[in-house]
Amino acid sequence: MRPAIDIRSLRVDYGDFVAVDDLTLTVPPGEVFGLVGPNGAGKTSTFRVITTLMEPTYGEVILDGVDVFEDLETARRIIGYMPDLAPVPSDLKVQEFLEFHAAAYGLGNRAQRRDRVAECLEEVALTDQRDKWCKQLSRGQTQRVVLAKTLLHRPRVLVLDEPASGLDPLARRDLRSALRRLAATGATVFISSHILSELAEMCTSLCVMNRGKLLASGTAEEVRHQLGTNERILTANLLCKPGEAREWLASHASVHDLQVEGHQIVFGFKGDDDAQADLMEGLIRLGVRLRSFEEKRSSFEDILVEVAENNRRS
């Protein structure tokens, strides 16, 4: 199966500044794929090239088998682009706004356009808002109307720039459900967001960019591993006095910042899942009675904060 998005050796320069530096990335169809990174990582420039809004310094972008720069019109029919904070007219109703864009796309006769508008409104769960004035919509409803507009011509690749920006938790949940339904139909969703916890939940896979370069890609767990962040905080809750367990743990090079509070031992641990399992097994063999063993791993947001802080230090 050919990739939905195939980016090869992409570079974008603004004078002497390199915004995107030799980016190579492949996204299969049916994915909700996240693009994350700190400000200045190259996300916006990448999106602008993919959506044909600018030409790169060099490189290739192929969407569903179509070279974006060799067949621009066909590529644009494949793409559905939803920019951050896309405006909607205040003097049109939702139905009118979508029918206007359906006509601009040349989607059949009036009856066919109305049917397609109804399908897209149902897809984003806004059928009951079709006769509402756009100016009366909430932020979340506005975002979903713009998503419905983006879906009108049945794009095979959707590029969404910060679609969850400013949405409340309920609106983000509705948007997440809509994107998952789209991916289930075979569409590919390429999405950027600064709401990192939401991206980790929303996306089937993602990549991290920094200073124009691709740092890691894959599932959230694979990205965490590729970035070398095996650090975690472990808490051992004991049914016995912690003295012997504390001394045994402190002797391990992978254990640091060990603290004891009553029958609870909290410590940092640097190691993989097998090493953690060995640690638990060692405590049990020592005769330590464990009531529970809890783990807190670095969140995806922690990873991005670390990347941004490394930017400042360098």
Side-chain angles (χ1 to χ4, degrees):
M1 187 178 295
R2 66 190 178 196
I5 303 172
D6 191 4
I7 302 172
R8 305 174 184 174
S9 302
L10 183 67
R11 179 171 173 129
V12 178
D13 294 336
Y14 298 99
D16 294 332
F17 176 71
V18 181
V20 181
D21 190 359
D22 197 29
L23 175 64
T24 295
L25 183 67
T26 299
V27 182
E31 291 265 2
V32 180
F33 191 91
L35 175 61
V36 295
N39 290 335
K43 303 187 301 295
T44 298
S45 295
T46 300
F47 270 28
R48 287 178 62 80
V49 171
I50 292 174
T51 56
T52 76
L53 297 177
M54 67 179 293
E55 292 188 4
T57 306
Y58 59 75
E60 295 179 276
V61 176
I62 300 171
L63 302 179
D64 199 25
V66 176
D67 190 310
V68 166
F69 308 113
E70 290 186 1
D71 193 348
L72 189 63
E73 293 306 315
T74 301
R76 285 177 173 171
R77 287 194 290 270
I78 291 171
I79 301 167
Y81 178 46
M82 180 178 168
D84 184 19
L85 300 177
V88 296
S90 60
D91 57 346
L92 290 179
K93 293 184 178 181
V94 170
Q95 180 86 19
E96 296 170 336
F97 170 68
L98 294 176
E99 286 186 3
F100 170 81
H101 282 279
Y105 283 125
L107 302 181
N109 58 37
R110 185 172 184 179
Q112 290 169 325
R113 292 195 293 270
R114 289 182 70 88
D115 287 344
R116 181 57 186 155
V117 166
E119 290 173 358
C120 291
L121 282 173
E122 183 176 359
E123 188 65 45
V124 300
L126 280 179
T127 299
D128 59 342
Q129 304 294 323
R130 68 173 66 220
D131 294 321
K132 198 170 187 177
W133 293 99
C134 288
K135 65 183 177 183
Q136 296 176 318
L137 298 173
S138 68
R139 174 66 182 276
Q141 290 171 336
T142 299
Q143 290 288 79
R144 283 186 283 152
V145 166
V146 175
L147 178 59
K149 185 268 293 182
T150 306
L151 298 176
L152 285 169
H153 63 297
R154 294 184 173 87
R156 299 196 291 280
V157 176
L158 288 109
V159 181
L160 312 181
D161 192 2
E162 300 282 354
S165 175
L167 301 188
D168 61 39
L170 182 60
R172 291 201 300 270
R173 184 202 64 186
D174 292 341
L175 177 64
R176 183 168 62 245
S177 297
L179 296 181
R180 286 174 175 169
R181 288 195 300 270
L182 288 169
T185 68
T188 299
V189 182
F190 197 25
I191 177 173
S192 77
S193 176
H194 285 96
I195 306 173
L196 305 177
S197 58
E198 279 293 315
L199 259 190
E201 287 184 25
M202 188 182 302
C203 297
T204 52
S205 54
L206 43 86
C207 69
V208 177
M209 287 184 69
N210 186 39
R211 293 185 173 179
K213 289 185 176 292
L214 181 68
L215 298 185
S217 65
T219 65
E221 189 61 30
E222 289 168 343
V223 165
R224 184 181 285 113
H225 179 72
Q226 290 170 38
L227 292 177
T229 53
N230 287 326
E231 184 74 29
R232 61 195 80 183
I233 303 297
L234 300 179
T235 301
N237 294 296
L238 312 181
L239 291 175
C240 58
K241 292 183 178 181
E244 189 175 8
R246 183 190 184 285
E247 291 179 9
W248 186 83
L249 288 169
S251 68
H252 285 255
S254 58
V255 172
H256 60 87
D257 297 332
L258 191 148
Q259 299 178 4
V260 176
E261 297 180 8
H263 284 213
Q264 184 181 78
I265 304 176
V266 181
F267 56 96
F269 180 72
K270 182 78 170 181
D272 59 17
D273 290 342
D274 286 337
Q276 180 174 322
D278 290 342
L279 199 72
M280 294 171 62
E281 184 178 353
L283 284 170
I284 293 170
R285 286 181 176 176
L286 189 65
V288 175
R289 300 192 64 201
L290 286 170
R291 182 172 62 82
S292 65
F293 203 84
E294 301 169 5
E295 170 190 280
K296 180 182 178 183
R297 304 195 65 173
S298 298
S299 70
F300 203 66
E301 187 164 0
D302 293 335
I303 295 173
L304 267 294
V305 168
E306 184 177 345
V307 169
E309 288 178 344
N310 288 338
N311 275 355
R312 296 194 190 102
R313 286 195 290 268
S314 59

